[in-house]
Amino acid sequence: MSQPYLLYETDPTYQMAVKQLKDAAALLGLPDEIIEVLRHPERLLQVKIPVRMDNGKIKVFIGWRSQHNSALGPYKGGIRYREDVNPGEVVALSMWMTWKNSLAGIPYGGGKGGIRVNPKELSPRELEELSRKFFAAISRIVGPDVDIPAPDVYTNPQTMAWYFDEYSKIVGYNAWGVVTAKPPLLGGLNVRVVSTGYGVALVAREAAKRWIGGVEGKTVAIQGFGNVGRYAALYLKEWGATIVAVSDRSGAVYDPNGLDVEELMKVKNETRKVINYKKGDVKIISNEELLELPVDILVPAATENVITEKNADNIKAKVISEGANGPTTPEADLILHKKGVVVIPDILANAGGVTMSWIEWSHNRMGCWLTDEEALNRLDRMMTHNFNRVYDEWQKKYSDHPMRAAAYAIAVDRVVKAMKLRGWI
Ligand code: GLU
């Protein structure tokens, strides 16, 4: 890489995304110039958002929207609110969206956004003002055919309702297709909220069938108990697995005899902390300890870079389904592969959210609405098909590498072919 001169180039998450891209390019035999084209976003916008706080003072927040690639369709991806968001992370995540959407076979490119803010410190009114002003600030570069945001870490259907309303006021009509994961009353689907976790569980189920004889009777640990972790837990339990550990930022709860997932959801909703769960023989452990538990299936559904070369050797799970984006570093991926662990890569495992977003968006545009059951069945069919396609390609062509290699090869290849067809390269 040349001397870093762009504000995102020194970020470790960005560097990890570039490393994964380079590995895929090497497998596909792509020249360096293609890497050079793909390692930068098509556009990165930084905006300033001054908010009048409840104490009467103005506070300035900074936000970004990165539009990585649009060869396969409009940019698509979430917007996260977190106190440590930075442009490198946002660009990396937008690149991952390009691969995720390409692999899912949905007609989207990749985008991602973020605001540097701790949303827990803002009142609902401050949060609304921040959200509306941010969306107004990026309104010229988004739109139902241009760039379609959605929730990500600490944003939700209410945030989407504010974005949708702000944008609709600017353009003068109800622009249903500008964001997805909207509340059901505003064109969203009830099942969008469960769909990322459902997808993470679906691919874990498929991998378990092929690798460890199915999910029934198997033990599961889940890091993160947000929208992804909790629904992955719920569905895996429904299919006969035992959820022995879950965590959030406060720590982890562990009971080798199994946790009551509904009760955990209640405790989390009421007290915001899973460590307040008191049923059975529960023990409190750390997030790091959870990753190393003797379980069959591990679901890292919290954040980036949690499985690294430092702890990969201690991991005992046989199947890992990546609910978060970027939880495993490339070095750890190799260690796990050598140990015979199947790591279902994020761009495949957590594509349930954006795939349901596409189902919502295409129906908004047709003016018709699906039932919950139809939407979930469709997601099940698409994810099961995609998992098996990647798994077979992996076994056939890339079995010396982690499964991620096969996923990346398929995803990058589609984007490069689309760019060639369009005459971009
Ligand atoms: N934020 C989610 C993701 O990382 C969903 C994006 C979307 O629905 O556009 O895939």
Side-chain angles (χ1 to χ4, degrees), residues 33-45:
E33 58 180 27
I34 303 280
I35 299 174
E36 203 46 31
V37 171
L38 286 171
R39 80 180 181 90
H40 298 291
E42 289 170 8
R43 185 193 275 133
L44 172 62
L45 176 64

Side-chain angles (χ1 to χ4, degrees), residues 76-78 97 100 112 148 150-152 180 192 325 350 353-354 357:
K76 181 91 190 80
M97 286 310 301
K100 192 187 297 186
K112 201 79 164 202
I148 308 131
D152 200 80
T180 55
R192 172 62 180 79
N325 290 310
N350 70 31
V354 71
S357 277

Side-chain angles (χ1 to χ4, degrees), residues 65 75-80 93 96-97 100-101 106 108 111-112 148-153 155 179-181 192 195-196 228 323-325 346 350-358 360:
R65 181 75 183 167
Y75 311 100
K76 181 91 190 80
I79 291 173
R80 54 174 58 188
L93 286 155
W96 287 334
M97 286 310 301
K100 192 187 297 186
N101 295 336
I106 51 183
Y108 291 139
K112 201 79 164 202
I148 308 131
D152 200 80
V153 178
T155 48
V179 286
T180 55
R192 172 62 180 79
S195 50
T196 310
V228 184
N325 290 310
D346 47 7
N350 70 31
V354 71
T355 304
M356 192 59 89
S357 277
W358 168 70
E360 173 183 331

Side-chain angles (χ1 to χ4, degrees), residues 113-133:
I115 304 178
R116 187 176 268 258
V117 58
N118 179 354
K120 290 180 182 162
E121 286 170 2
L122 267 59
S123 71
R125 193 208 56 81
E126 291 166 342
L127 211 51
E128 176 171 353
E129 186 173 326
L130 175 76
S131 302
R132 287 185 182 275
K133 285 188 167 162

Side-chain angles (χ1 to χ4, degrees), residues 11-13 61-64 80-90 93 113-119 121 152-154 249 302-305:
D11 178 71
T13 306
F61 296 90
I62 303 292
W64 296 270
R80 54 174 58 188
Y81 290 0
R82 223 168 53 180
E83 67 270 36
D84 56 356
V85 167
N86 69 74
E89 168 190 349
V90 173
L93 286 155
I115 304 178
R116 187 176 268 258
V117 58
N118 179 354
E121 286 170 2
D152 200 80
V153 178
Y154 292 128
R249 281 196 193 191
T303 186
E304 299 93 56
N305 297 324

